Amino acid sequence: MSDFEKWKALLLGGALNRRDFLAGAAALAGTAGLSAGLAPRAAHAEPKRGGHMRLGLGSGSTNDTLNPWNYPDAFTTMLGYGCLGNCLVEVDAEGNAVGDLAESFAASDDQKTWTFRLREGLSFHDGRPVRAEDVVASIRFHMTPESTSAAKSLLANITDITATEAGEVVFVLGDGATDFPYFLATVLLVIMPSEGGVVDWQSGIRTGPFVLEEFEPGVRAKLRRFEGYHKPGLPYADSCELLSIPDTTARTNALLSGDVHYVDRLDMRTLGLLGRKPDIRILNIPGYAHYYFSMLNDVPPFDDPNVRMALKYAIDREDILAKVLQGYGSVGNDNPIAASVKYAVDPQPVHSYDPDTAREWLKKSGLESLTVDLHVAEVGFPGCIDAAVLFKEHAAKAGIDINVIREPSDGYWDNVWLKKGFCATYSDGRPSCDWNFSVFYAADAAWNDSRWKNAEFDAMLAEGRALPDGEERAALYAKMQDLVQKDGGNIIVAFNDFVCAHSDAIDHGAVVGFPLSDGYRITSRWWFS
Amino acid sequence: MSRLILGLMTLVLVSALIFMVVALLPGDFARAILGPNATPETVAAFRHEVGLDRPALARYLEWISGAVRGDFGLSFSSRSGNTRTVAEMILPRFRNTLFLAGFAALMAVPLAITLGVLSALYRNSWLDRTVNAMTLTSISLPEFFVAYLLMFFFVVKIPLFYSLASVDAGTPLGERLLRTALPALTLVLVTVAHMMRMVRASIIAVLASPYIEMARLKGLSPARIILRHALPNAWAPIVSVIAVNLAYLIVGVVVVEVVFVYPGVGQLMVDAVSKRDVPVVQACALIFAATYILMNLAADILTVVSNPRLLHPKEGGVR
């Protein structure tokens, strides 16, 4: 019996509760690749068709549109992608890129030419067939000069996209990229109908499990089942409704009173009380998302790698995980690659709380003590103000004085993030090393939080991109993770689970951790029990 | 007439103030709207398109001249192929806000007057004390707390009403009333004290006048004295307090709307501020200001109507 099997047996036997199970499972090396889907309740009811599912989401704004250039939050993502759309590719529970609208895909030997074959008989909500030209137009829509798409830089490597006579789509890349299919699983890259190369994003007519009936930005979206959906049997519900409920208490009460069946963005501090309700289930899904404190590498004193190291050893991540995240997550080791991602390693020595080591690193930089400002706001990451105060206490024992400065949430991402030397931030993570590093750690990446510039790392990143899967690639990514852990500017506090709650009126099977909230597909994958 | 002109001047001043304050909001509007992935060129193009690159005075004059004609311009979230005018965003929301305010006022005003009259009639009795204690308690609690308490008791403990007041144009009146019951009740609780105490105080003041004593000596019943003799002369201060509270029901509901997820103007404004949708923020602020000014004007007029002596100011003044 493997360790994982042992834990599972304990869980099924009732000797463990689910949280202990997850904590134990996460602690076991080699089990991380297993999806959380194994962990929730032992028995699930058989999927049933029918019902009107209501989801209460903590996001959504009157300025939301259906334009896939950007989904600013969970509401727009769940609507534009989860309910209405599909990409060519999706990420499965094991973290592999598999075809969604594409039936199959293959690359040339140099990984520069990728050919995607569409499934037979696909149609849009209005009955029009999905053509290869629609795919071309939908991807090109993000690449135009006037595009402000968040996927624009991701697609910069594409030099040409063509639709062949046989209904295939061929992508030609500037540099070879083994992980290219992952990029096409970006939720923004949904396939939309087009006319003469111009896509129609306004109508919401796409290929997804639900057809849009009514969309009132910042308030609600109402949808009904798409009978021609390409995934057999899905969706289960006849109709669904997404409600924007920004107030946490109102959202929780809506769930308690049965007005909605699912809510996200829970208040971690009262989660225990909520979990005690017999008809409410709390679901936590481990994923790639993480919370971190970011130090700008070109701002003193953080330009000194020894100072960065001192701070990395001066934080008690276990303490923050237990007190702020209530145990829903796993501690970070300053490596942004989650343990379940392909080629993930755990760089040694592990950065754990050690005031003496922190002092030694401080000495190496020629300092006896250190005073730094840490900027936080409610929006940095959930609980980051509490985490920063705990960090202050931890660091004090290492002779580091952290001055916690509370910033207004409004304008935090404009005025504090990437501007102040040391601040709180988060990432949803990415399912591949290349994707994660390209977006957050490459010298020219738009979201390079710490303005970390490492020529050696960048060279390896470019090299690894075109390498075929195998040992050489694994060794390279291991080296890069080691480099980020030791030299990088991000103190990764924890990988946070995605935590949500639903009433026992609805049920679900195995859930995936990427993208968040069961791939944003709750409305189609879950059913009424 | 002079009051009307004064009201208009206030409105113009307020509009200038709104414009200036909105301009002081931190952060670059174009960046906030377009998101972190916008290139400098797109940002520049957007600034030009919505006129952010022109001087503030010119923008103000253009905005205010449009607003006078009822044209509040386009929302910043409006793009080619998906035009959204500020008016079409606000109008359904404003209708919802008025509905909630009206619903709350229908309950609050009669309740306040009844309670006020009763507590004046039975001054210092247990009834007077209970009513005073209860209304003062409810006004002293913050709105959101009253809202959460109501939710806790009437949604979670006894599932009578809904915690979500999210209604849409197609919601039938019955369900609409049921869904908005709690937000309306919250508003009633926070406004009733003010009105009720004013009713009580002004009736008590009138009760001290000689003509009331005369009526009492005539042997009239207390109820008749209050309803026929005292109340008509106590209207003026009551009407102005009611007007202020009605204005509050429309402009002060922001918190209540957010807590109950009611799609009204307040929620829209909060949202627009955080998204830096400047045209919407300005329009909401202007509507709120106009509501206040209009309600005060109405109070003034009603005061005069209820007291005909004020219509004929004599040399040396009246009273």
Side-chain angles (χ1 to χ4, degrees):
Chain A
M1 188 187 266
S2 75
D3 278 348
F4 183 77
E5 292 300 326
K6 188 174 75 194
W7 281 99
K8 198 172 150 191
L10 283 171
L11 175 80
L12 296 179
L16 274 179
N17 67 26
R18 192 150 47 82
R19 243 169 94 184
D20 290 341
F21 169 82
L22 283 174
L28 286 173
T31 60
L34 289 156
S35 85
L38 284 167
R41 279 157 302 137
H44 286 286
E46 281 299 302
K48 257 195 333 201
R49 275 170 90 87
H52 177 69
M53 202 181 281
R54 283 162 65 95
L55 278 64
L57 306 175
S59 47
S61 137
T62 37
N63 283 11
D64 291 342
T65 68
L66 290 171
N67 190 332
W69 278 351
N70 193 12
Y71 301 137
D73 49 39
F75 190 98
T76 36
T77 316
M78 204 172 272
L79 177 63
Y81 171 78
C83 293
L84 292 176
N86 293 95
C87 301
L88 280 180
V89 178
E90 65 184 340
V91 178
D92 70 6
E94 283 78 42
N96 299 313
V98 295
D100 189 350
L101 290 184
E103 187 174 46
S104 60
F105 49 86
S108 61
D109 287 342
D110 60 358
Q111 318 282 346
K112 277 189 180 177
T113 310
W114 283 85
T115 309
F116 289 76
R117 167 170 283 282
L118 289 176
R119 284 179 202 280
E120 294 287 331
L122 289 175
S123 69
F124 289 110
H125 293 155
D126 58 356
R128 274 180 282 175
V130 180
R131 305 161 303 163
E133 294 89 78
D134 297 320
V135 176
V136 175
S138 297
I139 306 291
R140 280 198 190 280
F141 177 59
H142 295 268
M143 299 163 64
T144 56
E146 63 272 19
S147 155
T148 55
S149 172
K152 198 175 186 177
S153 58
L154 203 62
L155 303 174
N157 190 18
I158 298 176
T159 53
D160 194 25
I161 319 174
T162 44
T164 67
E165 295 285 325
E168 290 174 334
V169 185
V170 180
F171 293 82
V172 182
L173 310 181
D175 299 310
T178 311
D179 288 343
F180 181 67
Y182 281 104
F183 289 7
L184 295 182
T186 303
V187 292
L188 303 170
L189 301 178
V190 289
I191 306 306
M192 299 168 282
S194 68
E195 209 62 67
V198 180
V199 294
D200 163 25
W201 59 262
Q202 294 90 342
S203 67
I205 293 175
R206 290 174 196 176
T207 58
F210 287 95
V211 183
L212 188 64
E213 286 207 314
E214 185 194 325
F215 174 37
E216 204 180 323
V219 183
R220 74 167 67 72
K222 280 184 178 169
L223 306 105
R224 72 184 142 80
R225 187 212 310 268
F226 173 40
E227 299 295 346
Y229 191 48
H230 70 276
K231 289 186 182 167
L234 296 183
Y236 297 112
D238 290 333
S239 54
C240 68
E241 191 170 351
L242 308 181
L243 290 157
S244 167
I245 313 178
D247 188 78
T248 308
T249 313
R251 205 159 56 242
T252 314
N253 279 335
L255 178 72
L256 289 175
S257 63
D259 219 351
V260 297
H261 303 110
Y262 163 97
V263 293
D264 64 357
R265 288 210 204 165
L266 299 164
D267 182 355
M268 296 305 278
R269 281 167 289 205
T270 57
L271 204 57
L273 294 170
L274 190 64
R276 268 189 239 156
K277 289 265 171 193
D279 51 350
I280 302 292
R281 307 211 191 285
I282 294 187
L283 178 67
N284 55 321
I285 315 172
Y288 312 134
H290 45 281
Y291 296 154
Y292 52 102
F293 293 113
S294 198
M295 305 175 272
L296 290 183
N297 280 251
D298 48 8
V299 172
F302 310 111
D303 51 350
D304 183 343
N306 298 317
V307 169
R308 300 203 291 268
M309 267 307 215
L311 282 161
K312 285 173 183 174
Y313 274 105
I315 182 169
D316 188 349
R317 297 172 175 83
E318 299 279 356
D319 191 37
I320 294 175
L321 176 66
K323 288 179 182 153
V324 178
L325 280 78
Q326 310 286 326
Y328 287 105
S330 52
V331 288
N333 179 25
D334 301 335
N335 175 13
I337 308 296
S340 53
V341 175
K342 199 171 185 177
Y343 303 125
V345 293
D346 201 19
Q348 301 295 325
V350 170
H351 290 169
S352 49
Y353 183 45
D354 189 347
D356 296 329
T357 315
R359 252 180 230 281
E360 275 169 35
W361 282 104
L362 212 53
K363 239 174 237 151
K364 277 188 204 166
S365 65
L367 296 167
E368 271 305 314
S369 67
L370 178 68
T371 303
V372 292
D373 291 343
L374 174 56
H375 300 260
V376 290
E378 295 278 355
V379 294
F381 61 76
C384 74
I385 298 173
D386 299 339
V389 173
L390 288 171
F391 187 9
K392 178 190 170 77
E393 297 300 320
H394 306 151
K397 297 206 176 87
I400 300 172
D401 181 20
I402 294 180
N403 188 14
V404 178
I405 297 176
R406 193 171 172 173
E407 302 276 357
S409 286
D410 195 17
Y412 181 78
W413 302 110
D414 286 331
N415 308 326
V416 179
W417 181 65
L418 281 178
K419 302 235 163 49
K420 299 279 166 56
F422 197 15
C423 73
T425 174
Y426 68 92
S427 158
D428 285 350
R430 294 293 183 270
S432 86
C433 288
D434 177 44
W435 189 355
N436 206 319
F437 287 147
S438 306
V439 176
F440 297 103
Y441 291 87
D444 55 354
W447 292 331
N448 184 352
D449 306 88
S450 58
R451 296 212 289 255
W452 184 58
K453 291 186 171 59
N454 188 309
E456 190 192 352
F457 180 86
D458 288 345
M460 285 196 280
L461 185 62
E463 190 194 339
R465 204 165 277 157
L467 278 183
D469 280 324
E471 275 175 30
E472 197 187 343
R473 204 163 189 230
L476 190 79
Y477 281 134
K479 229 165 116 187
M480 287 169 76
Q481 290 170 59
D482 197 59
L483 199 57
V484 169
Q485 188 230 18
K486 293 191 170 56
D487 190 56
N490 291 338
I491 301 175
I492 296 176
V493 180
F495 284 90
N496 55 296
D497 291 352
F498 177 80
V499 184
C500 58
H502 63 93
S503 70
D504 61 1
I506 56 172
D507 207 346
H508 56 82
V511 291
V512 303
F514 185 89
L516 295 176
S517 62
D518 202 6
Y520 290 110
R521 296 281 192 205
I522 286 171
T523 50
S524 61
R525 284 184 189 159
W526 294 21
W527 58 83
F528 280 90
S529 41
Chain B
M1 190 62 207
S2 65
R3 282 192 200 280
L4 200 65
I5 293 169
L6 212 64
L8 276 177
M9 274 170 59
T10 322
L11 201 56
V12 171
L13 268 177
V14 168
S15 75
L17 203 67
I18 292 169
F19 194 84
M20 278 181 338
V21 170
V22 168
L24 289 178
L25 279 175
D28 183 79
F29 297 161
R31 279 231 164 268
I33 297 284
L34 294 174
N37 305 294
T39 56
E41 297 87 68
T42 2
V43 172
F46 178 80
R47 291 181 69 86
H48 183 72
E49 190 188 321
V50 300
L52 279 173
D53 51 352
R54 283 181 295 132
L57 188 67
R59 278 187 290 140
Y60 171 69
L61 289 176
E62 191 180 308
W63 172 62
I64 197 72
S65 62
V68 168
R69 284 178 277 118
D71 173 18
F72 289 101
L74 294 177
S75 155
F76 277 1
S77 64
S78 180
R79 297 289 151 70
S80 59
N82 194 34
T83 322
R84 303 180 74 200
T85 65
V86 174
E88 77 179 28
M89 284 171 82
I90 291 186
L91 212 62
R93 300 285 194 127
F94 194 57
R95 226 174 277 146
N96 283 342
T97 297
L98 285 182
F99 177 82
L100 181 60
F103 187 17
L106 276 182
M107 289 195 278
V109 174
L111 185 70
I113 293 176
T114 316
L115 288 178
V117 168
L118 283 178
S119 57
L121 199 54
Y122 303 105
R123 199 169 359 147
N124 297 332
S125 69
W126 62 269
L127 178 88
D128 182 25
R129 284 173 211 278
T130 320
V131 167
N132 267 311
M134 282 177 65
T135 49
L136 282 179
T137 312
S138 70
I139 205 177
S140 310
L141 294 173
E143 278 162 50
F144 70 90
F145 190 68
V146 173
Y148 286 158
L149 281 179
L150 288 175
M151 261 193 213
F152 181 72
F153 287 111
F154 296 113
V155 176
V156 179
K157 288 284 158 197
I158 317 162
L160 273 180
F161 299 111
Y162 297 96
S163 65
L164 294 183
S166 60
V167 293
D168 58 32
T171 315
L173 185 68
E175 195 194 332
R176 187 178 277 259
L177 288 175
L178 211 57
R179 284 215 173 257
T180 51
L182 286 191
L185 204 56
T186 311
L187 289 173
V188 168
L189 286 176
V190 296
T191 51
V192 102
H194 193 194
M195 291 190 280
M196 170 258 157
R197 292 196 47 95
M198 186 51 91
V199 172
R200 180 181 180 272
S202 50
I203 287 185
I204 287 173
V206 174
L207 284 181
S209 355
Y211 76 93
I212 295 288
E213 199 176 358
M214 179 64 207
R216 209 175 277 146
L217 289 172
K218 273 199 309 192
L220 293 181
S221 71
R224 195 173 161 80
I225 291 173
I226 293 214
L227 294 177
R228 291 282 301 154
H229 297 271
L231 202 53
N233 284 301
W235 266 131
I238 297 174
V239 163
S240 65
V241 166
I242 289 179
V244 169
N245 274 289
L246 287 185
Y248 178 80
L249 284 179
I250 294 172
V251 309
V253 295
V254 178
V255 177
V256 174
E257 281 182 2
V258 170
V259 168
F260 286 102
V261 205
Y262 187 71
V265 183
Q267 215 196 16
L268 177 70
M269 190 175 176
V270 171
D271 207 17
V273 169
S274 69
K275 297 288 176 208
R276 299 286 184 273
D277 198 343
V278 176
V280 176
V281 178
Q282 286 171 343
C284 289
L286 200 63
I287 287 176
F288 285 164
T291 307
Y292 241 104
I293 292 168
L294 217 68
M295 282 297 178
N296 272 307
L297 200 66
D300 286 347
I301 293 169
L302 283 176
T303 309
V304 173
V305 170
S306 71
N307 190 348
R309 277 173 297 182
L310 295 179
L311 277 177
H312 310 287
K314 285 181 191 151
E315 282 299 315
V318 181
R319 280 212 285 194

